[in-house]
Amino acid sequence: MSPLPATPLQARRELSDGVVLLRQPGESDIPAITAGAGEPSVAKYTTVPHPYKQADAVWFIDHVRNGWEAGTSATFAVCDADNPSALLGMIGLHDIDQTGEPGGIAEIGYWLGTSARGRGLMTRAVRLLTMWGIDELGLCRINWLAAVGNEASRNVVLSCGYTFEGMVRLGMLQRGTRVDAWVGGVIAADVKRS
């Protein structure tokens, strides 16, 4: 039996906890996406093109819109709630599959520019998106995958209730090269309600 076709996701204007704001990215964010994704520390552990050019950001904005419409991804700009127009990073749920019991699955991915690091913004963003995925999309599991050595990403997900589940040798494709990957995830039953 083939899976049910994905359905468009209801667009979410924003998610916020009062400190961090997740909002839909748009064309006005292209310069900030180009600069942030172009940082060597972002390229080192992610699959973004390197060097990252403005044309990559233009493609990315279109890709984000298509993902929402297809119901396969939900990507947000990460901003300080006090300055919502300044994009600091990106976060999203990818490969969304809302089929199956007791719920669907997705993979979380994110990056944050160096100027915004050390303030706990990404930890807050991961918590917000995780709760939204579980509560509003009905996901029962969210996967996490990172290139081995990405301690910052690992620390963020662990502080958000994710479980580190091991390493997959050559489990991540990074710009045409297979690299070892750390894997983990969170299931709905693990999420603590405050």
Side-chain angles (χ1 to χ4, degrees), residues 8-94:
L9 298 172
Q10 182 174 350
R12 227 359 241 253
R13 303 295 299 162
E14 61 184 45
L15 301 171
S16 182
D17 65 0
V19 175
V20 70
L21 171 75
L22 307 184
R23 63 164 173 80
Q24 292 177 307
E27 283 77 15
S28 64
D29 295 311
I30 288 172
I33 293 169
T34 304
E39 292 182 11
S41 62
V42 171
K44 180 177 181 179
Y45 290 118
T46 68
T47 61
V48 300
H50 186 70
Y52 199 91
K53 300 181 172 115
Q54 182 174 333
D56 296 314
V58 170
W59 174 88
F60 178 73
I61 291 295
D62 192 49
H63 179 71
V64 166
R65 189 176 302 114
N66 292 339
W68 278 94
E69 290 172 3
T72 57
S73 65
T75 305
F76 293 88
V78 177
C79 306
D80 187 311
D82 291 334
N83 190 3
S85 63
L87 181 144
L88 304 173
M90 299 298 302
I91 189 167
L93 294 175
H94 311 288

Side-chain angles (χ1 to χ4, degrees), residues 121-142:
L121 294 175
M122 191 51 73
T123 299
R124 289 174 172 274
V126 168
R127 280 194 189 109
L128 277 171
L129 192 61
T130 298
M131 296 304 298
W132 179 76
I134 290 170
D135 292 344
E136 294 194 31
L137 298 184
L139 302 177
C140 69
R141 178 180 169 89
I142 300 174

